Amino acid sequence: MEQALLEDTSIDDRLAQRLRALRGERRWTLDELAERSGVSRATLSRLEKAEVSPTAKVLGQLCAAYGMTLSRLMHLVEAEFTPLLPRAAQPVWHDPDSGFHRRSVSPPAQALAGEVLEGTLDPGARIDYPRPPRPGLEHHLVLLDGALEVTVGGRTHALRPGDCLRYQLFGESVFSTPARQGARYLIFIL
């Protein structure tokens, strides 16, 4: 039923619905969102009623206030998702400085609650995340191969293949591998 509703509405209408829902989930008034985002109350009202189309700058300001990326917001308003995503079609990003490879196994979608990422770290790699994109973000990390240390909430966890680390992010996190061994893992994000 929700899928049919999404197909019958324009992207601006779906975006307006999602923006209104995001504010409602946080129980923010228009004035509170205006203060947090730097977007005027009048503009926010018009956006949530689909009276105007948002600019990239305004969407960026709203995403910062909501603690999400613009790509995540856009995925939330897409009308459809592809049920089968072959490995060759899964987007991969590589950071040569840290030795991190990130495969989006199951990217975010409007109708789905979570996403799945595959991470690969080279031996001796270390990645520091100063803060989560959204406080309370839930992770379920399963180490597939190698050795990995994950520090969350000031506590370091040493993982071996098959181990699962479940946590919510509220502050800094650190991922590191030993000098002679890398790691490959899956993270289920909710």
Side-chain angles (χ1 to χ4, degrees):
M1 172 103 164
E2 183 176 315
Q3 187 66 28
L5 288 174
L6 286 175
E7 289 171 358
D8 291 341
T9 58
S10 73
I11 188 76
D12 284 340
D13 288 333
R14 292 193 308 267
L15 194 51
Q17 290 170 4
R18 176 52 59 189
L19 292 173
R20 192 169 45 254
L22 286 169
R23 185 173 59 81
E25 289 166 8
R26 287 155 179 81
R27 296 187 174 118
W28 293 346
T29 65
L30 284 171
D31 289 327
E32 288 173 309
L33 179 55
E35 185 176 315
R36 292 171 186 263
S37 67
V39 178
S40 75
R41 183 187 191 290
T43 298
L44 292 171
S45 177
R46 295 180 72 204
L47 287 172
E48 289 185 4
K49 294 176 185 173
E51 293 174 353
V52 295
S53 296
T55 64
K57 178 182 176 186
V58 167
L59 285 178
Q61 290 172 275
L62 292 172
C63 286
Y66 289 128
M68 68 172 45
T69 64
L70 181 55
S71 62
R72 175 70 181 166
L73 176 63
M74 295 313 290
H75 281 300
L76 291 173
V77 299
E78 289 179 345
E80 298 179 12
F81 68 90
T82 304
L84 177 62
L85 193 58
R87 184 168 178 88
Q90 299 166 7
V92 177
W93 175 75
H94 173 68
D95 177 9
D97 291 342
S98 67
F100 177 54
H101 298 260
R102 178 187 186 272
R103 175 181 301 280
S104 188
V105 176
S106 178
Q110 193 278 331
L112 303 175
E115 62 184 289
V116 180
L117 301 174
E118 177 186 13
T120 305
L121 283 172
D122 291 343
R126 178 183 168 103
I127 303 175
D128 293 89
Y129 297 100
R131 63 180 222 170
R134 176 175 47 88
L137 192 63
E138 183 178 335
H139 282 186
H140 298 257
L141 187 152
V142 179
L143 184 64
L144 301 174
D145 299 303
L148 179 66
E149 284 192 350
V150 179
T151 304
V152 180
R155 184 170 173 203
T156 300
H157 306 272
L159 284 82
R160 301 294 176 244
D163 290 350
C164 178
L165 179 63
R166 304 176 300 170
Y167 54 94
Q168 290 179 296
L169 286 172
F170 289 99
E172 178 184 21
S173 61
V174 178
F175 286 57
S176 61
T177 56
R180 297 179 187 260
Q181 189 173 25
R184 186 171 67 90
Y185 53 90
L186 292 174
I187 295 182
F188 300 82
I189 302 172
L190 300 171

